Amino acid sequence: MPSFVRRASCAILAAVVGACSPAAPTASIVIFGKVWTGDPAHPTATAIAVAGDTVLAVGDSADVAAWVGRGTEVIHAPGLVVPGFTDGHSHFIDGGFQLASIDLRDARTPEEFVRRIADHARRMPKGSWILGGDWDHEWWPGGPLPTRAMIDSVTPDNPVWISRLDGHMALANTAALRIAGVTRDSRQPVGGVIVRDARGEPTGIFKDNAMALVYPSIPARTPEETDSALTRAMRYAASLGVTSTAHVSAGWGDLAAYRRLDAMGSMTTRVTVFPPLEEWKAVADTIARAGRGDAWVRIQGVKGYVDGSLGSTTALLYGTYLDDRSSHGQQVTSTADLRSWISSADSAGLQVAVHAIGDSANGLLLTIY
C-alpha cells in the first residue's frame, strides 16, 4: 500500500480499534480492481478493504489482500470502483411506484402514447386507476398536448391520471373527470390551469395547482403499497450505484415508510427528507420531539415552490411564452406565504429548498432571500 494511504488508515485504526495491523479486524469486503481515490497525487489504487461502514485501507493489491479473512467477501471488479452516487433531488417513493406503472417517457408519437395506454388498460382490473406515465409531448411532431379524447376509447373502464415527466402537468380521461366532479363550470384555480377546448370544455390537461382538483379522488396508497414502492426504488437505485438521495416534497406517509423500513434494518439507500415548506412548523416540532433521524433516514429541511416548469409552460417569466403570448407562466405560491414560510423555516433551523424555474421566479425568490 502506498505510504500516504497506510499513514492515514493507521491513524484512523489506532483511534478506532487501537491497532494498525491486519491482525485487528478483518475486512467484511475487499474489492480488487481500478479504484478511484479522489486524491490528485494518487488518483487510482488497485484494491480497497471495508469493514462495515468503515474504509480500512486503499492501495496496492498485495497489501490490501492482508485484510482478507475467513468471512471476507472478495470482489474482482471489472470496471472502475468509485464511491456511491448521491442523487441530490428525487421524488424517491413516487419513482418506486412509477417503476411498477405504465412507462410513457419514450413514447415518441401520439399513436405510441395511445397504444401503450391501451395495452396497460387491458391488464388492469376494471375500475382501478391508471397512474404514473411520465409522458413528454415535446417529442411529438409539433408538440401538441394530449387530450382525454385521445384515450377515452381505450380506457372505458378505468379512470386515468397520468403525469408529464416534470410533475407539473397531468392528463385525466373522462372517467377521472367524472369521479373528480370537474366540468366546464369548474373555476380556474389560482396558480393553476385547466386547459379547455374552443367550446370551454376541459381537455383533460391540468397544470400545477389545478391538479389539486383531481388528486383527492385518487385512492390513498396503503402503507404496504408504499413500503413495496420504496423497496423497489432502493433496488433500482442500487443497480445504478446510487447509495443516497434527497427526497424532496416528501409527504408524511413517505417519512413513515422510511421509518418502518429503517426500524426493520431494511434500508439500503440513505435518505434525507424534505417535507413541504408550508408544513415547516410540524417539521420543526417533529425534530424537537424526536430528533432529525439517523444515518439512514434524516429530516433535513423543507421544500417549496415558486412556479411550475418550462415544459408545462408554467415557469414564471418576465416575458411571455413564444407559443402563448398571453402567458407569463404561473406563480403557484403567493409572495406573502413564501416570505412567511421561508423566514419561519430558516429561523427554526431547517434547510430551505425552493423550486424556481423561470427568470421572474428566481428574481422573486432572491429578493425574499
Side-chain angles (χ1 to χ4, degrees):
M1 186 192 309
S3 60
F4 82 98
V5 178
R6 179 172 291 282
R7 281 197 300 271
S9 57
C10 281
I12 293 170
L13 287 172
V16 176
V17 300
C20 185
S21 164
T26 57
S28 51
I29 300 174
V30 168
I31 305 174
F32 296 103
K34 186 176 182 180
V35 179
W36 181 80
T37 68
D39 183 346
H42 305 275
T44 60
T46 55
I48 181 171
V50 176
D53 61 359
T54 301
V55 175
L56 296 175
V58 180
D60 179 78
S61 296
D63 288 328
V64 174
W67 293 96
V68 176
R70 182 175 298 175
T72 302
E73 179 183 3
V74 177
I75 299 171
H76 295 275
L80 182 66
V81 180
V82 298
F85 297 116
T86 295
D87 187 334
H89 181 128
S90 75
H91 304 275
F92 199 62
I93 293 178
D94 284 343
F97 278 104
Q98 174 57 36
L99 287 169
S101 185
I102 183 172
D103 183 8
L104 301 170
R105 182 179 289 264
D106 61 347
R108 298 303 175 88
T109 65
E111 292 76 19
E112 176 67 10
F113 174 84
V114 174
R115 185 191 67 76
R116 291 191 189 184
I117 294 172
D119 289 346
H120 187 78
R122 281 193 287 269
R123 299 191 297 269
M124 295 290 288
K126 184 176 180 179
S128 61
W129 282 73
I130 296 175
L131 305 170
D134 284 359
W135 50 270
D136 185 4
H137 66 292
E138 292 187 332
W139 286 111
W140 303 349
L145 287 173
T147 66
R148 59 187 169 112
M150 292 170 56
I151 62 172
D152 275 347
S153 64
V154 300
T155 57
D157 300 319
N158 300 90
V160 176
W161 181 247
I162 46 177
S163 299
R164 188 177 185 271
L165 79 170
D166 59 11
H168 290 269
M169 181 160 59
L171 173 66
N173 68 350
T174 297
L177 294 190
R178 189 178 303 116
I179 293 171
V182 176
T183 69
R184 65 177 296 151
D185 298 322
S186 297
R187 298 179 62 181
Q188 198 89 295
V190 175
V193 177
I194 304 171
V195 177
R196 304 175 190 271
D197 62 21
R199 298 173 299 160
E201 293 288 344
T203 67
I205 289 289
F206 295 77
K207 300 184 180 184
D208 281 293
N209 289 354
M211 296 191 291
L213 298 173
V214 179
Y215 277 131
S217 300
I218 300 171
R221 296 162 172 171
T222 67
E224 293 76 17
E225 290 170 337
T226 305
D227 291 355
S228 294
L230 172 53
T231 300
R232 198 158 42 241
M234 291 193 296
R235 187 181 304 120
Y236 182 71
S239 75
L240 300 175
V242 175
T243 58
S244 61
T245 187
H247 181 159
V248 298
S249 306
W252 294 106
D254 297 326
L255 180 58
Y258 287 127
R259 287 176 166 170
R260 281 193 297 272
L261 268 66
D262 192 18
M264 293 187 292
S266 299
M267 291 295 296
T268 57
T269 308
R270 298 178 190 274
V271 180
T272 52
V273 180
F274 288 74
L277 173 62
E278 61 267 30
E279 298 185 25
W280 70 267
K281 182 65 166 60
V283 175
D285 289 347
T286 297
I287 292 172
R289 183 177 64 254
R292 289 184 178 268
D294 58 23
W296 287 102
V297 180
R298 177 179 174 82
I299 301 175
Q300 183 64 34
V302 287
K303 165 68 182 297
Y305 291 85
V306 178
D307 63 345
S309 73
L310 286 167
S312 297
T313 62
T314 53
L316 189 64
L317 308 179
Y318 288 121
T320 59
Y321 282 84
L322 296 178
D323 55 351
D324 184 0
R325 292 295 189 181
S326 67
S327 176
H328 292 266
Q330 297 288 322
Q331 183 174 338
V332 301
T333 310
S334 73
T335 302
D337 282 343
L338 286 169
R339 286 186 186 278
S340 173
W341 296 341
I342 290 172
S343 175
S344 298
D346 180 62
S347 296
L350 299 172
Q351 180 178 340
V352 177
V354 182
H355 168 111
I357 299 297
D359 51 5
S360 181
N362 277 275
L364 171 62
L365 183 59
L366 289 171
T367 300
I368 292 172
Y369 281 168

